[in-house]
Amino acid sequence: MSQAESLIETLKSQLRAQGKTYADVARWLALSEASVKRLFAEKHFTLARLECICDQLNLEFAELVQTMQAGEQRLQELTQAQEQSIVDDHELFLVAVCVINGYSFDEIHHQYQLSEAECIQQLLKLERLKLIELLPGNRIRRRVAANFRWQADGPIQRFFQQHIANEFFRSRFDSDSEKLVVLNGLLSPAGNAEWQQTMQRLAKEFHALCERESGLPIHQRFGTTSVLAVRQWQYGLFQDYKREAEAKS
């Protein structure tokens, strides 16, 4: 399969993932649905049309190319046992987070108190987990997909909730590099689903921004954590004040 064909197949996957159809594409491009089907069948798109579709999907064109390059062989998540092996080894955890965020070998070695031998040892462990490929000259090639994620309620997520969340929120969030926004309101299940889709788009924008800035020197980039969360939830104290009939409903 040529790169052009692979790019169009990746675009089709992105359309399916967002529940979009040829009819949607036809509307965006001001074409008939039959014309759009022919474009996909012939895999013949102008760059302007590809960019238009990407805009409608809230997808950077560069991100589409990166997704194509990732391919199905890229790792999307680890097993519970693999995550546990990372959590149990704090040095391995540190190096794993670094490489997922694009650190080079030298950047890890110079920024943290790890010898070259210790760095290599941990990188070889990550290679066995298929997170990376360690190349000659200690160059690191990431093997994680663009949508790589930690297991829901897995060892990494539980570690964050038990050990990191309290430290993260132990701040006044009043400096120029911090912001805390707490939203509360009433949403239907459909509204909740729509808001979750918005959160997914924000997450994609965050990762796309990280990729765009990945070429900057490491001293110009800083560890940045953003937590996006939503629940159908009410503070326990408020629950205690609910009328009995309402609480049973």
Side-chain angles (χ1 to χ4, degrees):
M1 183 184 295
S2 70
Q3 285 191 325
E5 291 173 332
S6 181
L7 188 66
I8 299 306
E9 288 302 315
T10 304
L11 181 62
K12 288 168 65 176
S13 297
Q14 293 296 315
L15 287 166
R16 287 195 296 269
Q18 296 195 28
K20 303 302 181 182
T21 66
Y22 287 152
D24 293 312
V25 177
R27 187 174 67 256
W28 300 337
L29 300 180
L31 297 172
S32 68
E33 188 171 345
S35 296
V36 169
K37 289 180 179 178
R38 186 164 57 253
L39 288 175
F40 276 100
E42 297 174 352
K43 296 181 173 58
H44 181 70
F45 280 83
T46 65
L47 183 58
R49 284 173 173 170
L50 283 175
E51 288 180 333
C52 176
I53 297 172
C54 286
D55 286 344
Q56 293 295 330
L57 294 174
N58 290 311
L59 183 72
E60 294 287 339
F61 184 74
E63 186 180 357
L64 181 67
V65 174
Q66 289 162 3
T67 302
M68 176 198 73
Q69 292 172 336
E72 294 182 353
Q73 74 274 17
R74 292 295 181 108
L75 193 66
Q76 293 186 330
E77 65 179 25
L78 299 175
T79 65
Q80 293 262 340
Q82 288 172 327
E83 284 198 7
Q84 191 63 56
S85 70
I86 292 177
V87 167
D88 291 341
D89 185 336
H90 289 181
E91 285 188 5
L92 182 60
F93 196 1
L94 167 65
V95 176
V97 172
C98 285
V99 298
I100 288 174
N101 284 304
Y103 277 59
S104 69
F105 179 89
D106 288 340
E107 288 166 346
I108 298 172
H109 173 52
H110 291 143
Q111 190 160 334
Y112 297 101
Q113 296 180 28
L114 296 174
S115 68
E116 290 190 7
E118 289 170 332
C119 282
I120 292 173
Q121 181 184 27
Q122 301 304 339
L123 290 171
L124 289 172
K125 291 180 184 178
L126 296 179
E127 186 174 50
R128 287 194 289 272
L129 292 173
K130 301 188 184 303
L131 272 170
I132 66 163
E133 182 179 356
L134 189 57
L135 303 173
N138 292 329
R139 290 181 295 115
I140 301 168
R141 176 184 293 162
R142 288 178 293 174
R143 298 187 62 188
V144 296
N147 62 341
F148 176 81
R149 60 193 178 276
W150 300 115
Q151 290 263 354
D153 195 34
I156 301 289
Q157 187 181 96
R158 289 196 295 270
F159 183 89
F160 173 83
Q161 292 171 332
Q162 293 168 8
H163 302 285
I164 300 176
N166 286 339
E167 181 180 337
F168 178 81
F169 286 107
R170 199 179 303 132
S171 171
R172 294 175 59 182
F173 291 93
D174 56 359
S175 74
D176 291 340
S177 64
E178 296 180 323
K179 190 174 187 63
L180 176 65
V181 178
V182 178
L183 306 173
N184 182 261
L186 302 177
L187 287 176
S188 68
N192 184 289
E194 182 177 343
W195 177 243
Q196 289 191 44
Q197 290 176 354
T198 300
M199 291 168 62
Q200 287 282 18
R201 290 196 294 272
L202 288 173
K204 286 185 177 181
E205 290 181 18
F206 178 84
H207 290 302
L209 182 57
C210 290
E211 285 296 329
R212 288 201 299 274
E213 295 201 327
S214 61
L216 294 174
I218 194 67
H219 67 271
Q220 293 182 18
R221 293 178 287 145
F222 308 92
T224 302
T225 299
S226 183
V227 178
L228 304 174
V230 62
R231 292 177 62 192
Q232 286 187 352
W233 173 85
Q234 190 175 55
Y235 182 42
L237 176 63
F238 296 167
Q239 293 281 2
D240 293 340
Y241 280 90
K242 278 194 170 183
R243 296 184 185 277
E244 185 176 351
E246 184 181 355
K248 290 180 180 179
S249 62

